[in-house]
Amino acid sequence: GENVEQHPSTLSVQEGDSAVIKCTYSDSASNYFPWYKQELGKRPQLIIDIRSNVGEKKDQRIAVTLNKTAKHFSLHITETQPEDSAVYFCAASYNDMRFGAGTRLTVKP
Amino acid sequence: GAVVSQHPSWVICKSGTSVKIECRSLDFQATTMFWYRQFPKQSLMLMATSNEGSKATYEQGVEKDKFLINHASLTLSTLTVTSAHPEDSSFYICSARVAELSTDTQYFGPGTRLTVL
């Protein structure tokens, strides 16, 4: 089955800096790669996703890149703000979705 | 966007009792729903995939007789934790896929926090 690895497990940045979270996946059949933001005790919220026919996608301060050959994808957050602080999960999906272990992002004011 | 609800949002029960959790897609029909379990400070672990009108597909290590899943309609899936024990205490989250394509977005319910005393 699919195995998704996510790094780093924790990330602390200064407000205004950029944050990058990286994930790798094992199943070459996976074709959908969403990123979720989860605040404590809340449901995961989709922040951006990318499908396997696209290499890069951007939505304001958030961007995702996908390298199908290497089987890795990354989340980039620019101009970070304190409200970006949360746990971020990557996922890879073919028939079902598997999640990475999560990255706890802390943005210091 | 698509809305998924879960009920109850939290439940406390005694060891040995059964607890039913409902997952509803409010504004769309979901042929496929997923059930996840999340322990504190950990990731979401897929428990089972629920397809309307058919038996659920359970992940390895998940006891199907303990975690009963029913997906009787296109808008409702239920998870029943039978004979609950303290180690079953967790955050249970469902999600629903809007359409059949694997590349379609999954929307999550708000989760149910189960505490077994």
Side-chain angles (χ1 to χ4, degrees), chain A residues 31-32 36 38 41-44 46 49 51 89 93-102 104, chain B residues 4 34 36 38 41-44 46 49 59 91 93 97 102-106 108-110 113:
Chain A
N31 55 7
Y32 177 59
Y36 288 88
Q38 188 179 30
K42 301 286 184 63
R43 78 183 85 191
L46 179 72
D49 57 12
R51 291 172 172 80
F89 292 100
S93 176
Y94 180 54
N95 284 321
D96 52 50
M97 190 175 295
R98 305 298 167 137
F99 285 82
R104 182 171 299 279
Chain B
V4 177
F34 304 87
Y36 295 85
Q38 186 177 34
K41 296 186 179 181
Q42 293 189 21
S43 188
L44 292 92
L46 180 65
T49 301
E59 293 301 301
F91 194 47
I93 309 178
R97 193 160 64 197
S102 62
T103 52
D104 286 300
T105 303
Q106 285 187 31
F108 283 86
R113 185 160 303 282

Side-chain angles (χ1 to χ4, degrees), chain A residues 53-68:
Chain A
N53 58 344
V54 176
E56 185 174 353
K57 184 177 178 180
K58 189 174 181 181
D59 182 4
Q60 298 183 335
R61 296 187 297 111
I62 296 173
V64 59
T65 59
L66 170 66
N67 183 327
K68 284 182 61 180

Side-chain angles (χ1 to χ4, degrees), chain B:
Chain B
V3 179
V4 177
S5 71
Q6 248 181 274
H7 179 80
S9 55
W10 59 271
V11 57
I12 301 173
C13 69
K14 292 182 179 180
S15 186
T17 60
S18 295
V19 175
K20 180 186 280 190
I21 302 170
E22 293 186 349
C23 177
R24 293 181 185 273
S25 56
L26 297 185
D27 52 0
F28 66 99
Q29 293 184 331
T31 53
T32 306
M33 289 185 173
F34 304 87
W35 287 95
Y36 295 85
R37 180 168 52 185
Q38 186 177 34
F39 292 108
K41 296 186 179 181
Q42 293 189 21
S43 188
L44 292 92
M45 300 302 296
L46 180 65
M47 298 176 66
T49 301
S50 169
N51 292 294
E52 184 266 338
S54 63
K55 290 183 179 180
T57 303
Y58 290 82
E59 293 301 301
Q60 193 171 6
V62 178
E63 301 175 54
K64 61 180 181 180
D65 294 331
K66 181 170 180 62
F67 298 99
L68 301 179
I69 291 173
N70 184 279
H71 194 161
S73 78
L74 288 171
T75 59
L76 173 65
S77 176
T78 60
L79 168 68
T80 301
V81 183
T82 62
S83 186
H85 288 95
E87 57 265 31
D88 297 324
S89 299
S90 186
F91 194 47
Y92 292 86
I93 309 178
C94 70
S95 71
R97 193 160 64 197
V98 176
E100 278 302 311
L101 296 177
S102 62
T103 52
D104 286 300
T105 303
Q106 285 187 31
Y107 293 92
F108 283 86
T112 297
R113 185 160 303 282
L114 170 63
T115 302
V116 185
L117 301 177

Side-chain angles (χ1 to χ4, degrees), chain A:
Chain A
E2 177 65 273
N3 181 44
V4 180
E5 294 192 356
Q6 183 172 347
H7 299 281
S9 56
T10 60
L11 179 59
S12 181
V13 300
Q14 207 65 38
E15 181 178 1
D17 289 349
S18 295
V20 180
I21 303 171
K22 298 182 179 182
C23 288
T24 61
Y25 61 100
S26 61
D27 189 349
S28 56
S30 290
N31 55 7
Y32 177 59
F33 307 90
W35 286 87
Y36 288 88
K37 176 182 179 182
Q38 188 179 30
E39 298 177 354
L40 189 62
K42 301 286 184 63
R43 78 183 85 191
Q45 297 276 8
L46 179 72
I47 56 171
I48 196 168
D49 57 12
I50 192 167
R51 291 172 172 80
S52 60
N53 58 344
V54 176
E56 185 174 353
K57 184 177 178 180
K58 189 174 181 181
D59 182 4
Q60 298 183 335
R61 296 187 297 111
I62 296 173
V64 59
T65 59
L66 170 66
N67 183 327
K68 284 182 61 180
T69 303
K71 293 205 281 281
H72 66 69
F73 55 114
S74 301
L75 176 71
H76 303 252
I77 306 175
T78 59
E79 301 172 31
T80 54
Q81 302 166 2
E83 49 266 39
D84 294 330
S85 297
V87 179
Y88 290 80
F89 292 100
C90 64
S93 176
Y94 180 54
N95 284 321
D96 52 50
M97 190 175 295
R98 305 298 167 137
F99 285 82
T103 297
R104 182 171 299 279
L105 173 65
T106 303
V107 181
K108 298 178 181 177

